[in-house]
Amino acid sequence: MQGRTGRFDFDAVVVGAGAVGLASAYALACKGLGVGVLESAGAIGGGISSRNSEVIHAGLYYPTASRKAELCVEGRGRLYAFLDAHHVAYDRCGKLVVATRAHEVAALETLARQGQVNGVEGLELINGRDAMDLEPHLLAAAALWSHETGVFDSHGYMLALLGEIKDRGGALALSTPFEGAEPLAGGGFKVRAGGREPTTITTARLVASAGLCAQTVAAQIDGYPRHHIPKAYYGKGSYFALQGRAPFSRLIYPIPVPGALGVHYTRDLGGRARFGPDLEFVEAPDYQVDPARAERIYAEVRRFWPGLPDDALTPDQAGVRPKLHGPGEPQPDFRIDGPNVHGLEGLVALFGIESPGLTASLAIGDLVAEGLAC
Ligand SMILES: Cc1cc2nc3c(=O)[nH]c(=O)nc-3n(C[C@H](O)[C@H](O)[C@H](O)COP(=O)(O)OP(=O)(O)OC[C@H]3O[C@@H](n4cnc5c(N)ncnc54)[C@H](O)[C@@H]3O)c2cc1C
């Protein structure tokens, strides 16, 4: 692989082969650039991108004109089209956001207005009776029916992205951690990569898309202003799997809570039902699910599914959100920081790409490519 000009080994190097790094590499490769992706793990998508709800979000929740709102709505449309074109499985099953008590209905109406202003299509406010006709196990005073929400095979999606990158001559190096970069006089970067055969490569552009390691990677780039590296917080979310038949055909969400969407019901494409994720701020990422957290999950689920039997839930997986805020603090937007923020030409650094990062990934990738003036 050689950069377009022959001056660099690559036109662009992307650090991190999660959904967002791969979507960024895809966007850059679509511009005709020679792209290399460095991934420290032995496989793609093993980070945040494999420990989530796999929901294609409609774009309801996020403040109007925020990156989260705009990139979610745009990314969702792009994602469904990409999945169709690449025969990756999904189910546009829809979801109900449920007010379980009369006093929650006003919050539901606010959410519906927020969704409309955000440009979300296919939203319908329905009364409790209609919601319970749709989903007979549900308890609802009213519901917001989002027809555009779905679930998908996120790993199949990442494999399809990788296929597109490779078809365009891009390269992926697994078990190859990024260990540092220094800006070169006249532009570009010299990148140090570790692993079994440590090496240095040159690149005209650099994208830091390292998920939970975003802050570490930024700090390894010479000249990156420390005061522009946001403090990292880790918002762990535990899931519990349901033994037995899935009770609902649509996804069921409560009214959102500060910092998260609330413990919800999702099912994967095979019909396996899960509840979660809850939100627990932790000092460092860890993926153990504490069975004691089930008690709270039972209580939250029974608000919308009173018939949840005792002993029906078992600990499942956990994921960790790369948060930029602590408990009780307002939830900031995605950070997609270009030279206007950090002053390093040719570099985009991503921070805080939590939900709806999977849904938004293709739109984030386009923004990254634009930020690098491709
Ligand atoms: C509990 C939970 C539920 C969620 N649910 C949803 C959902 O339903 N829908 C949705 O749209 N979004 C959801 N999200 C958000 C979504 O999963 C993330 O936004 C997205 O997966 C982030 O992708 P990423 O590529 O930024 O990070 P990652 O997937 O973590 O990728 C980063 C990669 O960088 C690699 N890396 C780290 N350091 C280095 C280094 N030094 N050198 C090389 N490689 C390195 C890591 O190994 C990793 O593979 C959820 C997140 C969580 C935690």
Side-chain angles (χ1 to χ4, degrees):
M1 164 61 59
Q2 201 164 56
R4 223 165 26 183
T5 61
R7 196 174 143 219
F8 298 100
D9 298 322
F10 293 94
D11 295 316
V13 163
V14 176
V15 179
V20 175
L22 290 170
S24 301
Y26 169 57
L28 291 161
C30 286
K31 303 267 184 197
L33 300 190
V35 180
V37 181
L38 303 181
E39 169 54 54
S40 55
I44 65 165
I48 313 168
S49 299
S50 67
R51 297 172 166 277
N52 55 67
S53 302
E54 290 191 301
V55 171
I56 300 176
H57 285 297
L60 294 175
Y61 299 98
Y62 320 104
T64 305
S66 63
R67 282 190 162 146
K68 284 184 181 173
E70 293 184 353
L71 297 174
C72 184
V73 172
E74 187 195 328
R76 165 170 50 80
R78 297 271 323 275
L79 183 57
Y80 277 126
F82 184 95
L83 300 177
D84 278 335
H86 294 81
H87 309 290
V88 177
Y90 69 84
D91 180 2
R92 203 183 312 225
C93 52
K95 90 171 176 186
L96 298 178
V97 186
V98 176
T100 55
R101 309 286 185 278
H103 69 83
E104 290 179 340
V105 173
L108 195 69
E109 289 168 351
T110 304
L111 192 60
R113 277 193 297 277
Q114 178 75 66
Q116 270 153 6
V117 183
N118 287 357
V120 178
E121 319 85 329
L123 292 180
E124 201 180 331
L125 262 177
I126 57 177
N127 64 34
R129 187 69 272 145
D130 288 347
M132 292 187 287
D133 282 348
L134 286 173
E135 298 287 359
H137 295 283
L138 191 66
L139 175 70
L144 178 60
W145 187 359
S146 166
H147 293 262
E148 283 300 314
T149 305
V151 287
F152 76 124
D153 169 7
S154 59
H155 201 71
Y157 164 58
M158 290 188 277
L159 285 172
L161 284 172
L162 181 59
E164 287 285 355
I165 294 163
K166 288 191 168 171
D167 283 353
R168 288 170 169 75
L172 165 70
L174 295 172
S175 306
T176 307
F178 169 91
E179 291 186 342
E182 65 183 81
L184 296 169
F189 297 87
K190 185 156 87 178
V191 170
R192 292 190 307 283
R196 269 212 274 185
E197 293 174 25
T199 185
T200 57
I201 49 176
T202 58
T203 177
R205 302 166 185 83
L206 184 60
V207 178
S209 178
L212 293 164
C213 299
Q215 283 80 353
T216 309
V217 163
Q220 288 171 318
I221 300 171
D222 291 356
Y224 202 107
R226 294 300 183 261
H227 61 281
H228 283 305
I229 301 178
K231 182 169 163 41
Y233 296 88
Y234 304 106
K236 180 175 172 181
S238 297
Y239 291 88
F240 285 79
L242 177 71
Q243 306 306 300
R245 270 176 62 85
F248 306 110
S249 55
R250 292 158 197 81
L251 311 183
I252 309 291
Y253 280 59
I255 301 287
V257 298
L261 301 186
V263 168
H264 47 261
Y265 159 83
T266 58
R267 59 177 174 77
D268 63 19
L269 292 167
R272 210 172 71 92
R274 287 190 309 174
F275 293 94
D278 57 5
L279 174 60
E280 175 192 6
F281 281 87
V282 291
E283 285 300 313
D286 94 81
Y287 300 104
Q288 293 297 317
V289 177
D290 177 1
R293 299 189 75 81
E295 195 179 329
R296 179 97 187 272
I297 302 269
Y298 275 103
E300 295 198 21
V301 173
R302 281 181 175 140
R303 287 169 55 80
F304 61 79
W305 181 26
L308 170 63
D310 288 339
D311 301 324
L313 300 182
T314 53
D316 196 61
Q317 68 169 17
V320 176
R321 305 166 180 91
K323 285 201 162 288
L324 299 180
H325 68 100
E329 293 171 4
Q331 202 170 356
D333 207 354
F334 290 153
R335 288 265 305 261
I336 302 169
D337 290 358
N340 59 325
V341 176
H342 50 62
L344 295 172
E345 281 307 321
L347 172 69
V348 171
L350 296 100
F351 301 98
I353 312 296
E354 53 171 317
S355 193
L358 264 187
T359 310
S361 50
L362 288 169
I364 296 175
D366 282 350
L367 198 63
V368 166
E370 274 168 34
L372 291 173
C374 304

